[in-house]
Every structure is written in structure tokens, then in C-alpha cells.
Amino acid sequence: QVQLVESGGGLVQAGGSLRLSCTASGRTYTTYVMGWFRQAPGKEREFVASISRSGGATGYADSVKGRFTISRDNTKNTVYLQMNRLVAEDTAVYYCAARVGSYYDTPDSVADFGSWGQGTQVTVSS
């Protein structure tokens, strides 16, 4: 099981940017597909973005396409989520997730992932 630690959350004004990071422990990080999910108060956890093992394939929720970018640095065991043009509806706890996957996997379901971080709060003020 891989351990995941997120960082980078905070308070930002609408229209601003934040970059989240998630660092994974373990020597087999490159076998993991990585994802970002978020959960707003009173709502279900929802998919935001995912990235394949190599970083060559990515997937995004429609609500963040064109504004968010997921990337990974396999030399640092870290996945990033660059969030631009933030809006109040992006306010949520953001979770990093991992699963062992195939080379071009970009899963988009909570049920697809078995390892989760503790979450980091993102608050967008309007």
C-alpha cells in the first residue's frame, strides 16, 4: 500500500490559482496511476483528474477542463494539480488517490482507487 500526503491547499480569491502537490512513499510509485478527487460539504466525493503511470495520458472532469492541469514527476514520487481561474464552486477538500494500473490508464471513479491521502482544503472566496 502506498502512503500519500497532500499539500498546497488554502484560501484564494475567485479567479486566482493554486497548485496542489501529493507525494507518495514507496519504491513502486511508477506503477501507480494517480488521481485527484474533491468533496464539498454535503456532497459526494467526485473525480477531478487522473494521470497514467508515465504521465502520457490524462483525464479531467468536464467542470475543470481547460482550467486545471494534472502532472507528475516520477523522480520525486509527486503528482501535481495546477488549478487556474478558480471559482467558488471549486471549494472542497481535495484528495490524492493512487492505484496500480496499466500504462495508459486514466480511471475516473472513486471505486477505482484503493489508496487515499488525508485531504487538503481549498477555499475560493467570491
Side-chain angles (χ1 to χ4, degrees):
Q1 194 93 355
V2 64
Q3 279 74 50
L4 305 171
V5 178
E6 301 102 332
S7 61
L11 173 65
V12 63
Q13 287 188 332
S17 300
L18 279 176
R19 188 175 81 155
L20 306 182
S21 300
C22 171
T23 300
S25 63
R27 294 175 292 176
T28 58
Y29 173 72
T30 54
T31 67
Y32 285 90
V33 174
M34 303 298 295
W36 286 98
F37 290 75
R38 65 188 182 186
Q39 188 166 17
K43 294 189 175 181
E44 298 284 320
R45 191 170 297 189
E46 65 175 8
F47 169 74
V48 174
S50 62
I51 188 165
S52 63
R53 288 169 51 179
S54 68
T58 57
Y60 295 93
D62 288 343
S63 59
V64 307
K65 276 181 185 175
R67 300 188 298 122
F68 290 11
T69 302
I70 189 171
S71 61
R72 67 191 293 165
D73 185 342
N74 286 349
T75 66
K76 297 181 179 179
N77 283 12
T78 300
V79 62
Y80 304 96
L81 185 68
Q82 177 67 44
M83 304 185 294
N84 298 328
R85 304 202 313 273
L86 285 159
V87 298
E89 291 73 24
D90 294 320
T91 295
V93 177
Y94 282 70
Y95 296 92
C96 176
R99 61 162 281 178
V100 175
S102 63
Y103 206 69
Y104 293 106
D105 245 358
T106 54
D108 60 3
S109 169
V110 170
D112 289 328
F113 288 85
S115 298
W116 294 86
Q118 82 287 352
T120 185
Q121 177 71 45
V122 171
T123 303
V124 183
S125 63
S126 56

